[in-house]
């Protein structure tokens, strides 16, 4: 096997994920597609999570060479599977609570630097409340019932742990609705409640779900609910080396928000997933119900003040970095791996950010021309930090290394390593994407 590309020899890329924004970035860097008929080896593999599972399965006997790199860590699911994300963050928070109790008695053991965060556990603990109360079903059903009965006025959201794009999600406000779900009860909405026979056929009866407290007071813009998609690249967990992109966006619902019981089953009111919203009559194809995160920040600063906007985005960075810290000692840290995460966060009316989930394969489907340019830039920046010049080849071939990625420090603050382009923001403004029209 080769140890890397020789001077002037192009890298070979491999992918089972043929999205234009990925392959065009490879070829723009002068890389060539790996062909098993003619090429002995490959250097960069942009693979699906199922392929990664096969690569790292011990029984398959596959070993990556030092000159190869793939786009997922072996057990990335510790952060990207909904139930495991909550489990790991909860475990880390409990460790912090235990250390804070010791500190209160003068017996702390972290010397004011709990888990290398630069803070004592007492200082850190209030910052770890960024995930809504969540329970795994069916295993935590009794605990959930106890919590539900403490606050019967709350609405909860049910999600299958292994699905994406809004599939299988629904809201509940009564315990009987969970019983209907568990029994495969056929209710008035056949798309949500299926017969027991259908559930068995689809093997959904035993599928694990999580149930989370629904954020009932989301920040609204133009009367509509939205969430944030933030791109984060991790090139190492030990030491933790992470970058956050300034090229994220807000995803809006197409129908005005309502807490009315009659609207509980309306996905166009409650679910921001583009895969859901684009099926609605009010979906805006010109901007895809999306708004650049830079303009969202300007809106917050203009309506709430610059200091408030700074605090909000500081909280978003902290939620990201502390979620990564929670799995730092759990993820298998293979130096031949990197990860592009799609973080989904919700902002409530008090401008508190809530981490909803982390995606291992954020959608690279381009809904608009501007969306395509944004995602092209995200992949370009991802490769610039994950496969920098000289990592696998002797020359970079003149590829630009200016990125819109900012390095996350251990305290959740960002240190700029590049300058953000504004082409996407200009395009958004040109197509009329203002809050009132989203």
């Amino acid at each position: 096997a080769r140890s890397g590309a020789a001077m002037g020899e192009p890298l070979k890329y491999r992918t089972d994920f043929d999205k234009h924004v990925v392959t065009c970035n490879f070829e723009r860097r002068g890389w060539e597609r790996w062909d098993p008929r003619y090429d002995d080896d490959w250097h960069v593999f942009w693979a699906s999570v199922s392929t990664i599972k096969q690569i790292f399965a011990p029984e398959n006997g596959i070993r990556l060479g030092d000159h190869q790199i793939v786009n997922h860590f072996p057990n990335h699911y510790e952060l990207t599977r909904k139930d495991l994300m909550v489990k790991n963050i909860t475990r880390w928070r409990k460790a912090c609570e235990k250390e804070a109790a010791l500190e209160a008695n003068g017996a702390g053991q972290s010397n004011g630097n709990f888990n290398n965060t630069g803070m004592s556990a007492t200082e850190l603990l209030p910052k770890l409340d960024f995930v809504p109360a969540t329970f795994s079903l069916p295993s935590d059903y009794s605990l959930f019932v106890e919590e539900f009965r403490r606050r019967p006025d709350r609405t909860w959201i049910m999600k299958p742990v292994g699905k994406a794009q809004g599939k299988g999600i629904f809201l509940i406000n009564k315990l009987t609705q969970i019983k209907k779900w568990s029994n495969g009860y056929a209710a008035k909405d056949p798309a949500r409640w299926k017969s027991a026979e259908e559930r068995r056929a689809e093997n959904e009866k035993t599928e694990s779900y999580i149930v989370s407290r629904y954020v009932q007071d989301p920040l609204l813009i133009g009367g509509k609910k939205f969430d944030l998609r933030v791109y984060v690249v991790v090139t190492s967990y030990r030491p933790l080396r992470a970058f956050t992109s300034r090229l994220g966006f807000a995803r809006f619902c197409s129908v005005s928000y309502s807490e009315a019981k009659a609207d509980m089953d309306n996905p166009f009111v409650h679910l921001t997933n583009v895969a859901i919203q684009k099926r609605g009559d009010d979906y805006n194809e010109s901007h895809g119900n999306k708004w650049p995160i830079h303009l969202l920040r300007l809106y917050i600063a203009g309506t709430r003040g610059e200091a408030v906007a700074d605090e909000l985005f500081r909280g978003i960075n902290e939620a990201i970095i502390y979620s990564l810290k929670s799995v730092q000692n759990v993820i298998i840290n293979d130096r031949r791996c990197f990860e592009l995460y799609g973080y989904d966060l919700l902002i409530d009316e008090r401008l508190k950010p809530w981490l909803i989930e982390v995606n291992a394969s954020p959608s690279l489907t381009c809904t608009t021309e501007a969306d395509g340019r944004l995602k092209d830039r995200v992949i370009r920046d991802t490769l610039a930090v994950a496969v920098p010049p000289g990592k696998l080849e002797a020359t970079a071939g003149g590829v630009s290394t200016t990125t819109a990625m900012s390095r996350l420090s251990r305290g959740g603050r960002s240190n700029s390593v590049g300058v953000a382009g504004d082409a996407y923001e200009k395009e958004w403004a040109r197509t009329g994407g203002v809050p009132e029209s989203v």
Side-chain angles (χ1 to χ4, degrees):
R2 296 182 298 185
S3 60
M7 179 71 70
E9 182 182 352
L11 293 182
K12 300 292 182 179
Y13 76 85
R14 184 179 176 183
T15 181
D16 61 359
F17 194 79
D18 274 329
K19 292 292 184 180
H20 178 70
V21 293
V22 174
T23 56
C24 74
N25 268 286
F26 287 159
E27 292 168 4
R28 192 180 298 141
R29 295 170 72 93
W31 299 353
E32 295 180 354
R33 183 184 284 269
W34 173 76
D35 189 329
R37 295 174 299 174
Y38 309 113
D39 298 318
D40 296 330
D41 221 343
W42 53 265
H43 298 93
V44 181
F45 193 169
W46 194 284
S48 65
V49 293
S50 58
T51 298
I52 291 295
K53 182 178 180 180
Q54 296 173 15
I55 288 175
F56 288 107
E59 62 270 20
N60 290 337
I62 299 173
R63 291 189 62 184
L64 294 180
D66 291 339
H67 61 290
Q68 295 177 314
I69 190 168
V70 295
N71 63 317
H72 294 290
F73 287 91
N75 58 337
H76 60 86
Y77 47 81
E78 292 286 352
L79 182 62
T80 58
R81 208 176 102 148
K82 299 177 184 71
D83 56 340
L84 296 181
M85 180 195 81
V86 173
K87 174 185 175 182
N88 284 309
I89 292 175
T90 301
R91 174 186 48 77
W92 199 56
R93 186 169 58 232
K94 287 182 177 178
C96 188
E97 290 172 351
K98 182 178 180 180
E99 175 64 14
L102 291 174
E103 290 174 355
N105 293 321
Q109 300 175 1
S110 63
N111 296 318
N113 186 24
F114 179 76
N115 219 187
N116 292 319
T117 58
M119 290 177 282
S120 67
T122 304
E123 294 170 315
L124 177 63
L125 189 57
K127 298 177 180 290
L128 300 185
D129 179 29
F130 55 83
V131 176
T134 300
F135 301 88
S136 294
L137 297 180
S139 59
D140 294 338
Y141 179 73
S142 297
L143 294 174
F144 167 66
V145 170
E146 183 180 338
E147 179 65 20
F148 183 94
R149 288 174 174 164
R150 279 199 324 110
R151 293 291 303 273
D153 56 319
R154 283 182 171 171
T155 298
W156 296 78
I157 185 166
M158 295 271 295
K159 299 179 182 181
V161 300
K163 292 184 179 179
Q165 299 182 327
K167 296 174 183 176
I169 296 178
F170 57 96
L171 303 185
I172 66 168
N173 59 4
K174 297 179 181 177
L175 287 175
T176 53
Q177 292 166 318
I178 284 195
K179 294 177 181 177
K180 290 177 182 178
W181 160 78
S182 64
N183 293 328
Y185 180 80
K188 61 181 180 180
D189 185 352
R192 294 184 184 280
W193 306 104
K194 301 177 182 179
S195 69
E197 184 177 349
E198 290 173 317
R199 294 281 294 278
R200 281 193 295 270
E202 298 179 14
N203 197 30
E204 287 187 3
K205 183 149 180 138
T206 57
E207 183 177 12
S208 296
Y209 263 66
I210 60 167
V211 57
S212 300
R213 179 180 64 81
Y214 186 62
V215 180
Q216 293 176 255
D217 59 340
L219 178 66
L220 305 178
I221 297 181
K224 295 167 184 173
K225 177 183 173 180
F226 67 93
D227 71 356
L228 296 182
R229 166 58 56 85
V230 179
Y231 296 104
V232 176
V233 175
V234 176
T235 58
S236 170
Y237 270 95
R238 293 186 296 278
L240 182 58
R241 184 177 175 84
F243 302 82
T244 182
S245 175
R246 296 194 289 273
L247 299 177
F249 49 84
R251 305 180 299 183
F252 283 79
C253 289
S254 54
V255 177
S256 295
Y257 182 71
S258 167
E259 291 187 62
K261 292 182 179 179
D263 290 319
M264 276 187 63
D265 287 331
N266 188 342
F268 307 117
V269 171
H270 296 285
L271 304 183
T272 61
N273 309 77
V274 175
I276 298 290
Q277 292 298 322
K278 68 181 181 181
R279 301 202 301 261
D281 295 336
D282 297 311
Y283 176 73
N284 190 318
E285 293 185 356
S286 66
H287 54 58
N289 285 26
K290 296 176 182 177
W291 206 33
I293 201 166
H294 170 71
L295 294 185
L296 174 67
R297 181 171 186 144
L298 287 178
Y299 175 83
I300 299 294
T303 55
R304 302 290 187 99
E306 189 70 35
V308 173
D310 288 344
E311 182 63 25
L312 167 62
F313 279 82
R314 187 178 301 112
I316 291 171
N317 273 348
E318 289 178 345
I320 292 170
I321 198 69
Y322 296 144
S323 66
L324 294 173
K325 294 289 288 184
S326 74
V327 297
Q328 184 177 16
N329 295 321
V330 177
I331 296 289
I332 298 171
N333 188 50
D334 193 316
R335 59 188 176 84
R336 297 161 297 185
C337 304
F338 69 93
E339 198 89 40
L340 170 62
Y341 293 115
Y343 270 73
D344 292 343
L345 300 108
L346 187 68
I347 304 170
D348 68 21
E349 178 59 32
R350 296 167 295 139
L351 296 188
K352 176 180 175 60
W354 294 96
L355 176 59
I356 304 302
E357 63 181 275
V358 183
N359 297 275
S361 299
S363 173
L364 297 177
T365 300
C366 304
T367 54
T368 66
E369 184 178 339
D371 192 46
R373 287 198 296 273
L374 178 144
K375 289 174 180 175
D376 178 84
R377 181 72 183 275
V378 168
I379 298 301
R380 195 200 80 175
D381 292 349
T382 298
L383 295 175
V385 297
V387 194
K391 183 178 179 72
L392 298 177
E393 76 266 79
T395 176
V399 175
S400 170
T401 57
T402 300
T403 76
M405 295 283 178
S406 295
R407 178 77 180 273
L408 281 171
S409 72
R410 64 185 180 183
R413 297 175 289 277
S414 296
N415 299 315
S416 178
V417 296
V419 291
D422 62 354
Y424 183 86
E425 293 146 18
K426 287 179 180 177
E427 173 65 17
W428 187 271
R430 187 182 69 76
T431 56
V434 294
E436 291 74 21
S437 67
V438 170

